[in-house]
Amino acid sequence: MFGYNGRLLRVNLSAFTSTEEPIDERDIRHFMGGRGLGTLYLFREVPKRADPLSPQNRLLFLTGPLTGTPFQATSRLVVCTKSPLTGCYARSSAGGDFAVWLRSCGYDFLSVEGAAERPVYLYVGDGRVEIRDASEIWGKTTTETQRYLREVHGKRTRIACIGPAGERLVKFAAIVTGRRTASRCGVGTVMGSKKLKAIVLDAIPRNPAFFDPDLVKDLARQQLGMIRTNPQFQKHKKYGTTDGATTRNAIGVYPTRNFRFGQMKDYQLLSEEEYMKLRVGEFGCYGCLARCGKVHRVPPGRIYEGTMSDGPEYESYWSFSGPIDSPCIEATIAADRLCDELGLDSISTGGTIGFAYELYERGIIGKAETEGLELSYGNHEVMIELIRKIALRDGIGDILAEGTRRAALMIGKGAEEYAMHVKGLELAGYEPRGLKATGFGYATSTIGGSHSNGSLAFQEWGLPFPRSVNRFDEEGKADIVIFNQHNSALGEVGIV
Ligand code: SF4
């Protein structure tokens, strides 16, 4: 069947076994792409009441029918599992090229099952599947881990790994692959619960076979032409997502002080032009001209000097500024780097820290709980310290590592009122009171408060398709919410 290898790789870490298995063609036709097959296998194979951190849970790494093709931005990785943060179905997506390597290894997806008793990593390549000892890299950061594994297995490999946060089962740990991450819903936590430090794929990328190669070439050329002439694409290529603070603050939807306000004072310090001044490089994902990943470095003589980050993208720099009301651009770079190294979801990390700041302001927690740290708005140095504490589950970080919903229950004293989440997943950087359809999108999203699951309603920003809407209207928007969620699902089942 074109578009698929027609087989999956199962790795059982309890039994230390791996098996290849054909995928039923009917399943492929009915549940297309990464999200489709991931959802099917998850619901089919994970028992209803399974603890997400038990060996019963599955961790699925999935490709789609257009992975590795010449079409633009169609080679992202989908990770599906049962989330330890929300207790619900989870899907997280990462850019980069891991999915292309997985496809080139001969599989449409990888299912990790069971749990190892000691740290291991998985090697797939040269027709071999090996579960190897990971004691050398357990405890290492994501950069150290990837560097080590590349030295051992060579430069043509692609790696997905967790950092110290995933090892310690921080509930919102991420999986890092190259310079990209699958961040949301605690997919890295599930990987940590299986004691799986990393997956190494060793392959030479190859193009999938096409039914009509000439038509594919022609369509890819047409797509490229349409994208190149689109002014939005040009802007995205130039700035990545660093224009987010400018556009969100302009209309009052930049969540500030744990979502109390919609605009941050001095937000201009986080403008796209300010990030441009610190830019030292850029990168993209497989088969995407946008190259929206922008690399920033803090110059000498400034706070956090010398820190370099593969970002931050909008969601990350909002997470490290809005929730704690700090317009310090250098801190956003330092925090972003730290989260990538430790393997944390930046949105949940920033959201949880913003929640803690509000509890501190209201006297629900004090210096006794924070070990003397002053969680006052604007204090970015404490935010950096809290990121470390969360990843290492140190002091108050041990409670915050549970995410806002659980942390609020543990703290009590009315803390729940200030926990900003949907289904336990911390909200992204869009103030829903100024974007009502986006609020409805958050509320009805299958994975919780994510912005990337069809929740964002660009019709509220003027997109006329299927129709633009007044962003403050609360009535008559159900069709828009449904349209966006279907559209997102369509994109993910069909093209990633
Ligand atoms: S480079 Fe940017 S736009 Fe292109 S696939 Fe990666 S994240 Fe998406």
Side-chain angles (χ1 to χ4, degrees):
M1 185 178 181
F2 291 98
Y4 290 86
N5 287 312
R7 58 185 183 152
L8 71 104
L9 175 65
R10 280 188 195 276
V11 174
N12 189 313
L13 294 176
S14 298
F16 254 60
T17 56
S18 66
T19 47
E20 286 182 10
E21 196 177 287
I23 306 173
D24 190 323
E25 195 173 319
R26 280 169 306 182
D27 288 343
I28 289 177
R29 290 191 184 280
H30 287 140
F31 299 91
M32 280 180 71
R35 200 205 280 198
L37 282 175
T39 309
L40 172 71
Y41 272 76
L42 201 67
F43 279 82
R44 188 187 269 169
E45 298 190 354
V46 177
K48 239 188 205 164
R49 309 223 176 275
D51 177 344
L53 299 183
S54 75
Q56 289 182 309
N57 198 4
R58 301 278 193 264
L59 184 62
L60 308 173
F61 295 80
L62 303 115
T63 67
L66 298 187
T67 300
T69 65
F71 295 108
Q72 290 288 298
T74 57
S75 293
R76 292 176 64 93
L77 173 74
V78 169
V79 181
C80 282
T81 192
K82 183 172 181 181
S83 166
L85 189 61
T86 67
C88 308
Y89 152 80
R91 86 91 183 79
S92 192
S93 155
D97 49 17
F98 191 82
V100 179
W101 260 245
L102 181 56
R103 169 61 61 85
S104 301
C105 282
Y107 305 107
D108 294 318
F109 73 93
L110 162 67
S111 173
V112 181
E113 310 171 6
E117 282 179 2
R118 55 184 168 74
V120 295
Y121 73 91
L122 180 67
Y123 170 86
V124 182
D126 282 340
R128 288 178 289 137
V129 179
E130 294 172 0
I131 301 167
R132 295 187 171 205
D133 175 52
S135 47
E136 278 285 317
I137 42 176
W138 197 253
K140 290 197 185 302
T141 66
T142 59
T143 298
E144 290 166 347
T145 300
Q146 296 191 79
R147 192 181 300 137
Y148 174 91
L149 291 171
R150 258 196 309 274
E151 272 167 22
V152 172
H153 294 290
K155 288 203 172 115
R156 74 174 187 186
T157 53
R158 291 298 180 272
I159 295 156
C161 69
I162 56 169
E167 295 172 12
R168 286 169 176 78
L169 306 183
V170 173
K171 292 292 191 309
F172 41 89
I175 295 173
V176 176
T177 171
R179 307 168 95 169
R180 298 291 193 186
T181 59
S183 294
R184 305 240 63 196
C185 302
V187 290
T189 320
V190 176
M191 195 156 157
S193 75
K194 297 186 178 306
K195 292 245 177 344
L196 180 62
K197 178 69 177 174
I199 299 166
V200 180
L201 301 179
D202 190 352
I204 297 168
R206 55 184 167 84
N207 282 334
F210 301 117
F211 174 73
D212 186 340
D214 290 337
L215 181 62
V216 168
K217 254 190 223 159
D218 190 41
L219 288 173
R221 213 176 295 127
Q222 281 182 41
Q223 186 202 25
L224 209 55
M226 284 163 68
I227 288 174
R228 275 205 173 115
T229 52
N230 184 325
Q232 281 304 328
F233 170 78
Q234 295 304 339
K235 193 174 173 210
H236 190 53
K237 190 167 171 51
K238 182 172 179 189
Y239 294 116
T241 55
T242 59
D243 59 342
T246 308
T247 53
R248 277 60 163 178
N249 275 289
I251 60 167
V253 295
Y254 193 81
T256 302
R257 294 199 177 202
N258 197 30
F259 283 82
R260 204 179 320 162
F261 306 109
Q263 202 174 51
M264 193 174 75
K265 194 167 166 276
D266 295 332
Y267 70 84
Q268 295 85 352
L269 297 174
L270 296 171
S271 73
E272 58 274 38
E273 297 304 339
E274 291 301 317
Y275 275 106
M276 189 75 111
K277 289 178 195 163
L278 307 183
R279 181 158 336 146
V280 292
E282 63 177 26
F283 61 97
C285 302
Y286 187 95
C288 182
L289 272 186
R291 293 177 64 77
C292 74
K294 308 300 179 196
V295 187
H296 301 99
R297 181 174 21 214
V298 180
R302 288 164 68 164
I303 190 165
Y304 308 115
E305 70 171 81
T307 311
M308 198 158 98
S309 168
D310 288 336
E313 298 188 14
Y314 169 67
E315 292 298 338
S316 297
Y317 81 75
W318 163 75
S319 303
F320 305 130
S321 57
I324 65 155
D325 198 0
S326 158
C328 177
I329 194 168
E330 298 89 344
T332 67
I333 295 170
D336 188 55
R337 174 66 189 260
L338 204 51
C339 280
D340 283 351
E341 291 294 347
L342 298 170
L344 284 167
D345 170 15
S346 52
I347 299 176
S348 285
T349 302
T352 304
I353 291 175
F355 158 73
Y357 273 51
E358 181 154 13
L359 297 189
Y360 187 87
E361 183 197 27
R362 293 179 184 278
I364 294 174
I365 57 172
K367 282 192 176 159
E369 288 83 6
T370 65
E371 295 163 296
L373 291 177
E374 215 164 289
L375 277 60
S376 46
Y377 288 118
N379 191 341
H380 50 79
E381 283 164 309
V382 164
M383 170 185 69
I384 298 286
E385 184 57 23
L386 285 177
I387 292 173
R388 278 201 194 89
K389 281 179 169 293
I390 288 171
L392 302 178
R393 283 191 173 273
D394 173 29
I396 192 169
D398 194 28
I399 295 175
L400 300 180
E402 293 296 310
T404 50
R405 181 170 67 178
R406 274 196 196 84
L409 292 174
M410 291 161 85
I411 292 165
K413 299 186 233 170
E416 299 99 286
E417 206 173 315
Y418 309 105
M420 304 305 295
H421 67 87
V422 170
K423 295 188 173 84
L425 185 68
E426 286 69 26
L427 298 180
Y430 302 84
E431 168 55 72
R433 280 168 296 196
L435 298 164
K436 302 291 189 194
T438 297
F440 299 142
Y442 280 150
T444 55
S445 160
T446 50
I447 62 170
S450 165
H451 65 294
S452 66
N453 207 29
S455 301
L456 290 190
F458 288 107
Q459 296 83 0
E460 296 183 320
W461 304 70
L463 180 75
F465 188 71
R467 63 190 170 87
S468 57
V469 290
N470 181 322
R471 65 194 178 96
F472 294 110
D473 283 350
E474 292 182 2
E475 303 281 333
K477 285 181 167 174
D479 63 316
I480 295 293
V481 175
I482 292 167
F483 175 86
N484 290 332
Q485 290 180 351
H486 284 179
N487 208 26
S488 151
L490 189 66
E492 290 188 21
V493 299
I495 63 170
V496 298

